[in-house]
Amino acid sequence: MTAPEGFRLSVALNGAGSHPAAPARPFTPEAYASLVRGAEAGLLDFITVEDGPGRLDSALLLALAATVTDRIGLVPLGPTTGDPEAWAARIATLDHLSAGRAGVRPRAATSTAERARLVALYGTPEGDRELAELFGQTGEFLDAATDAWGTTVRPVQGRPPLAVLAHATIPYRLAAAHADVVFVTPKDTAGLVTIRKEVEALREEAGRPVGALRVFADLEVVLGSGQEAADERRARLDEAAGAPFVSDAAVFTGTPEGLADLLEEWFREGGADGFRLRPAVLPEDLDAITAGLVPLLQRRGLFRTEYTALTLRGHLGLAGV
């Protein structure tokens, strides 16, 4: 049973892994099902999956995953575009197929060119104004979609959890007003403390109660049996990519023991409710998480030893709706 002081754990299962040099493997339904079953064997709270150019539809992939798993939460990407009711129906369908284990990661809908333009303007008055307008429209879309869950397309959970990736105040505000989980990208413990304080202040400003929003810290992970082995593995990947691995999130290179130490520090001192780990290479780093990291966390009383809930809301400790 999960210790009262324990935290939650999820993984991103994207392509061949998050490192640009992760060796591409032919996709098969069986291989993907094996990844998801492996994550569930590690008792993880949920997995997330991206989609986009050159990738298969994330909700359809997780509909497949629903047929080969029983407990793990399934969170596809959900660009906020088109008809909010159709968007809501897509996620409600996954929630029914998985018997209440669906969530969704909303993403403000922009073209690649528009996203690049906004990034170039970031931090300027014009850029901040346009970004605030974009996220305001996203909030309105989410209001309409969640209203549909209460009227026309009722999911098993009532409201599948919304998980927002946020790097700065404007998206923090969207998460504080609408989300159940916010993925943040601190570089160290002090940065996590600062982010947590800002997110909590914005949640209070939005009129939501304490505990309504779970703060998950994102981490890229390159794991090895020893520090030297992990460093060599990272160096080989970076050499194959032609550049050092950089990301919006911090990159951890080391052993499962070292990662357990960092997660415990970020939990106890940084205030994280949970973590989303991004395996650099699949399935190797996922296997190291489930077979190496999870048992260490369990021995420290930081992570569950069995599932105690049936739904994603239950795993996250969220009230029913």
Side-chain angles (χ1 to χ4, degrees):
M1 185 174 296
T2 305
E5 69 273 19
F7 55 72
R8 296 166 176 90
L9 196 61
S10 64
V11 293
L13 299 182
N14 299 325
S18 62
H19 196 289
R25 298 180 173 91
F27 174 83
T28 66
E30 293 77 14
Y32 184 75
S34 178
L35 287 176
V36 182
R37 285 196 299 265
E40 185 172 70
L43 304 177
L44 303 186
D45 289 271
F46 60 88
I47 59 170
T48 65
V49 182
E50 302 285 311
D51 54 19
R55 291 183 173 177
L56 300 178
D57 183 276
S58 58
L60 292 178
L61 283 177
L62 292 181
L64 165 67
T67 68
V68 297
T69 57
D70 299 305
R71 293 295 188 91
I72 195 165
L74 308 170
V75 181
L77 188 68
T80 53
T81 185
D83 179 2
E85 287 195 10
W87 188 94
R90 178 173 177 247
I91 304 306
T93 301
L94 179 60
D95 203 43
H96 281 280
L97 290 172
S98 63
R101 293 183 286 129
V104 61
R105 184 170 87 75
R107 186 175 70 188
T110 58
S111 66
T112 301
E114 180 66 9
R115 189 176 302 116
R117 189 182 72 82
L118 287 172
V119 169
L121 290 173
Y122 183 75
T124 68
E126 178 185 0
D128 289 350
R129 183 179 64 254
E130 291 193 27
L131 200 62
E133 290 175 358
L134 174 63
F135 278 87
Q137 293 166 1
T138 300
E140 293 172 1
F141 184 100
L142 293 177
D143 282 338
T146 53
D147 284 348
W149 283 335
T151 54
T152 58
V153 286
R154 182 74 174 173
V156 173
Q157 296 176 95
R159 173 188 153 121
L162 303 179
V164 170
L165 174 62
H167 305 300
T169 298
I170 292 172
Y172 292 158
R173 181 170 285 113
L174 175 73
H178 297 277
D180 303 286
V181 172
V182 57
F183 299 124
V184 299
T185 53
K187 299 301 183 182
D188 53 30
T189 306
L192 177 55
V193 170
T194 299
I195 291 169
R196 176 93 204 200
K197 287 180 179 177
E198 181 174 7
V199 167
E200 290 295 346
L202 291 169
R203 174 200 51 75
E204 185 175 0
E205 179 184 295
R208 299 179 70 197
V210 174
L213 180 62
R214 303 285 182 259
V215 177
F216 274 55
D218 272 19
L219 269 172
E220 306 278 2
V221 294
V222 184
L223 297 171
S225 58
Q227 187 62 50
E228 184 177 355
D231 289 338
E232 290 177 353
R233 185 164 174 257
R234 165 82 177 272
R236 288 195 300 271
L237 288 167
D238 288 354
E239 182 179 6
F245 184 27
V246 295
S247 172
D248 57 327
V251 180
F252 175 86
T253 304
T255 65
E257 291 85 353
L259 181 55
D261 291 341
L262 180 61
L263 298 187
E264 183 168 6
E265 178 182 331
W266 281 17
F267 169 61
R268 297 196 186 282
E269 300 179 23
D273 297 308
F275 301 93
R276 181 174 66 156
L277 305 180
R278 306 177 187 175
V281 178
L282 292 168
E284 290 84 349
D285 288 299
L286 175 62
D287 292 342
I289 290 167
T290 58
L293 174 67
V294 166
L296 289 167
L297 297 176
Q298 290 169 333
R299 287 197 289 272
R300 298 183 189 192
L302 293 170
F303 193 63
R304 65 166 63 89
T305 57
E306 62 181 7
Y307 283 115
T308 58
L310 297 175
T311 67
L312 180 53
R313 293 190 71 86
H315 295 335
L316 294 171
L318 297 169
V321 293

